[in-house]
Amino acid sequence: MRSSYLAWGDAVDLFERRGLPEGTYENLYEEEYILVPGPAAVTGELPLDEHERTPWREHTPEAATGYVVDGDLVVDGNITDVDDGAAALIVLGNLRARNVYLAGDAKLVVHGHVTAETFVGDMTEKLVVIHGDLRATVSIFWNEFCPDLVAGTLHGRTLAPAYLDLSTAPIGGLADPAPEAPLSRLLVPELLVTGVPGPGDLPEIGVRGDALRDRLLAGLPLTTTR
């Protein structure tokens, strides 16, 4: 899995060969990226905003605007973006990770499906485009976050504020396989709001934001399925 630097013009050529729509990639920064041949696998966490902690630092020691994976990407830990940077991850195949947590000016573009235990979006300045399904046990949308596009089905329990009408969002379909299941059967109890909410709690969707972030960064499970 030898990475290399990729100029913007070469990135556009690759996107066009792989069939990524121009309407998707035209919203990316026209800068240098790091190309990762696929299929690619990452052991542990993939922090998009800390290049020195990625497996691609050996052959591309200097950080770039983001990463282009030419094929499928499997991360057996979490994909995270927790600062205010503009980290980008473009996957020209399918993406699978334990959890996906986006809290900065993140750019996530996936040509295929996304599969994760939880998918968490906690920002408004972002680009999140998924041309297949988003399949998660629980998807959590905070602070006016909503994917710019899920062309397929948003599959699983979705938690969002009441003002966000998912039926009018750019999402191909919504499917909850067990709509009668209480949230306590999906998420670990440490994440659930009980009693009087604290400053890091979001009672409207029933999840403690601070606890979720802390557990995720510590590598602790978020769902009851593990």
Side-chain angles (χ1 to χ4, degrees), residues 2 5 13 24 26 30 35 43 57 65 80 109-110 117 120 132 137 142 144 146 155 159 163 175 203 206 213 218 222:
R2 186 182 182 92
Y5 291 105
D13 289 343
T24 296
E26 70 179 1
E30 298 181 10
L35 175 64
T43 301
R57 65 189 181 277
T65 303
T80 60
V109 173
V110 180
E117 292 178 15
V120 182
T137 301
W142 281 326
E144 300 182 15
C146 185
H155 191 278
L159 306 179
Y163 60 75
R213 179 184 173 118
L222 304 182

Side-chain angles (χ1 to χ4, degrees), residues 105-154:
D105 179 17
K107 308 288 186 288
L108 176 65
V109 173
V110 180
H111 203 194
H113 305 301
V114 174
T115 304
E117 292 178 15
T118 67
F119 185 99
V120 182
D122 186 14
M123 74 297 189
T124 57
E125 296 297 325
K126 48 68 190 169
L127 173 69
V128 176
V129 175
I130 300 167
H131 286 282
D133 297 339
L134 170 52
R135 305 165 180 167
T137 301
V138 180
S139 294
I140 301 173
F141 301 158
W142 281 326
N143 292 330
E144 300 182 15
F145 172 90
C146 185
D148 297 271
L149 174 69
V150 177
T153 299
L154 176 54

Side-chain angles (χ1 to χ4, degrees), residues 31-162:
E31 299 172 354
E32 184 179 67
Y33 289 78
I34 290 173
L35 175 64
V36 178
V42 174
T43 301
E45 183 182 2
L46 178 60
L48 300 180
D49 45 11
E50 295 185 66
H51 178 63
E52 65 276 7
R53 291 178 55 202
T54 73
W56 307 311
R57 65 189 181 277
E58 178 181 357
H59 300 294
T60 46
E62 299 297 325
T65 303
Y67 308 96
V68 176
V69 180
D70 189 14
D72 295 341
L73 173 62
V74 176
V75 180
D76 72 1
N78 303 320
I79 295 175
T80 60
D81 174 43
V82 297
D83 73 1
D84 294 327
L89 176 63
I90 300 97
V91 179
L92 300 177
N94 298 313
L95 171 63
R96 180 181 294 271
R98 180 184 300 173
N99 300 286
V100 179
Y101 182 87
L102 306 175
D105 179 17
K107 308 288 186 288
L108 176 65
V109 173
V110 180
H111 203 194
H113 305 301
V114 174
T115 304
E117 292 178 15
T118 67
F119 185 99
V120 182
D122 186 14
M123 74 297 189
T124 57
E125 296 297 325
K126 48 68 190 169
L127 173 69
V128 176
V129 175
I130 300 167
H131 286 282
D133 297 339
L134 170 52
R135 305 165 180 167
T137 301
V138 180
S139 294
I140 301 173
F141 301 158
W142 281 326
N143 292 330
E144 300 182 15
F145 172 90
C146 185
D148 297 271
L149 174 69
V150 177
T153 299
L154 176 54
H155 191 278
R157 182 68 51 85
T158 301
L159 306 179

Side-chain angles (χ1 to χ4, degrees), residues 199-218:
D201 297 347
L202 292 168
E204 189 173 15
I205 62 175
V207 175
R208 298 176 56 207
D210 290 348
L212 186 148
R213 179 184 173 118
D214 290 346
R215 287 183 65 86
L216 181 126
L217 295 179

Side-chain angles (χ1 to χ4, degrees), residues 183-194 206-208 211 215 221-224:
L183 203 54
S184 58
R185 283 179 49 188
L186 305 176
L187 294 175
V188 296
E190 291 84 354
L191 300 184
L192 303 181
V193 174
T194 57
V207 175
R208 298 176 56 207
R215 287 183 65 86
L222 304 182
T223 67
T224 60

